Amino acid sequence: MTTIHATAIVDPAAELDSSVSVGPYSVIGPHVKIAAGTTVGPHVVIEGHTTIGRDNRIFQFASLGAIPQDKKYANEPCELVIGDRNTIREFCTFNIGSPGDVGVTRVGDDNWLMAYVHLAHDCQVGNNTIFANNTQLAGHVHVGDWAIFGGFTVVHQFVRIGAHSMTAMCTLLFADLPPFVMCQGQPAAARSMNFEGLRRRGFSPDRISAVKAMHKALYRDDLTLQVAMERIAGLSENHPEALSDVEMMLSFLKQSSPQRGIVR
């Protein structure tokens, strides 16, 4: 049977798998669904239309599924959806989506979210990311797989974070951060590419060489963005293993809005 501490308050309408455990003084609302193997620590509040997958570990004092911090919100049934095997540490705050976007805040699988991380309404987080303490995402931010945020990183609304990218501690992002790029500063500036992270994830030397060439085109040869993209488009001819990496970079750059731009 589900292990629910005697002091926890779980609405009878909530749907919890029989293997879920709920710690002391936690509160779980009527529209919450939690799948097998997830543990909810003490003093956690889970409310709203929130769906949580399998084998997550939610630490004490987290607040999940509260309404967005958006004055336009008018009690629409928006959602928070969390995948599998995520670690959500103390004092994290994840809000539901808003009717001004897709209406869903989403967290994928195998993410590591440290203390005091804030995900505002309509954020979309991929898989295998790391959010160090006090990372703060405003509304509508999209985060690619394997991204890493240094502590106290702050991200402006509608900014996109590319896959395999990385921010240093206390970084302030006003522009889109392309895939693979490491950045630092207030506002953020590109410093290098996340080569060590790529090696640890099994990228071949050919793929890493292609990423180095992307870095050179975007940041070292004083090219316009359009010319840099044309050069990047040709990299797969000499680096066939990197075709998917090239396509991902070009797709990201093409979707960047002129108003937001990219970190350069």
Side-chain angles (χ1 to χ4, degrees):
M1 295 181 63
T2 305
T3 304
I4 301 175
H5 193 273
T7 60
I9 300 174
V10 179
D11 193 284
E15 299 179 23
L16 276 59
D17 183 84
S18 60
S19 60
V20 170
S21 65
V22 182
Y25 303 103
S26 288
V27 179
I28 297 178
H31 304 295
V32 174
K33 301 177 181 179
I34 305 179
T38 290
T39 61
V40 179
H43 297 278
V44 173
V45 177
I46 306 176
E47 56 188 307
H49 290 79
T50 296
T51 302
I52 299 174
R54 302 173 63 92
D55 300 319
N56 295 282
R57 189 175 182 190
I58 303 168
F59 282 71
Q60 55 268 28
F61 304 108
S63 172
L64 308 177
I67 64 172
Q69 298 176 107
D70 183 347
K71 289 185 176 181
K72 300 185 297 298
Y73 180 73
N75 296 315
E76 295 89 350
C78 298
E79 299 179 68
L80 169 66
V81 177
I82 297 172
D84 303 332
R85 298 177 303 279
N86 297 288
T87 297
I88 301 170
R89 295 300 304 242
E90 300 85 350
F91 298 100
C92 284
T93 54
F94 302 172
N95 296 156
I96 61 172
S98 74
D101 199 332
V102 294
V104 179
T105 302
R106 191 179 302 276
V107 178
D109 302 330
D110 301 297
N111 297 290
W112 185 267
L113 300 115
M114 300 185 198
Y116 290 95
V117 167
H118 177 63
L119 302 182
H121 57 87
D122 304 290
C123 286
Q124 308 291 314
V125 177
N127 306 314
N128 298 291
T129 66
I130 297 174
F131 287 63
N133 298 327
N134 287 281
T135 297
Q136 308 286 297
L137 269 56
H140 316 279
V141 171
H142 287 214
V143 180
D145 298 345
W146 298 101
I148 299 175
F149 295 89
F152 295 90
T153 294
V154 178
V155 184
H156 193 277
Q157 62 188 13
F158 293 102
V159 162
R160 297 178 305 129
I161 311 296
H164 303 285
S165 61
M166 185 174 183
T167 73
M169 184 176 68
C170 297
T171 294
L172 180 57
L173 275 165
F174 291 113
D176 293 346
L177 181 63
F180 312 112
V181 176
M182 297 176 67
C183 72
Q184 178 269 337
Q186 301 178 349
R191 303 302 182 189
S192 183
M193 295 296 214
N194 188 14
F195 298 120
E196 183 57 33
L198 301 182
R199 293 187 187 97
R200 293 180 183 183
R201 289 166 208 144
F203 273 56
S204 67
D206 188 59
R207 293 178 70 187
I208 291 176
S209 293
V211 172
K212 289 180 179 178
M214 293 184 209
H215 178 257
K216 190 171 186 292
L218 282 172
Y219 298 108
R220 297 182 62 186
D221 285 354
D222 197 27
L223 304 176
T224 66
L225 182 57
Q226 183 59 43
V227 174
M229 290 172 62
E230 292 171 1
R231 182 183 292 184
I232 291 170
L235 289 176
S236 57
E237 295 181 10
N238 295 324
H239 303 279
E241 292 182 35
L243 176 61
S244 62
D245 306 318
V246 169
E247 290 177 342
M248 179 172 66
M249 177 64 84
L250 290 174
S251 175
F252 186 95
L253 296 175
K254 289 174 182 177
Q255 292 178 45
S256 185
S257 69
Q259 294 82 9
R260 187 67 56 208
I262 66 167
V263 172
R264 291 199 83 179

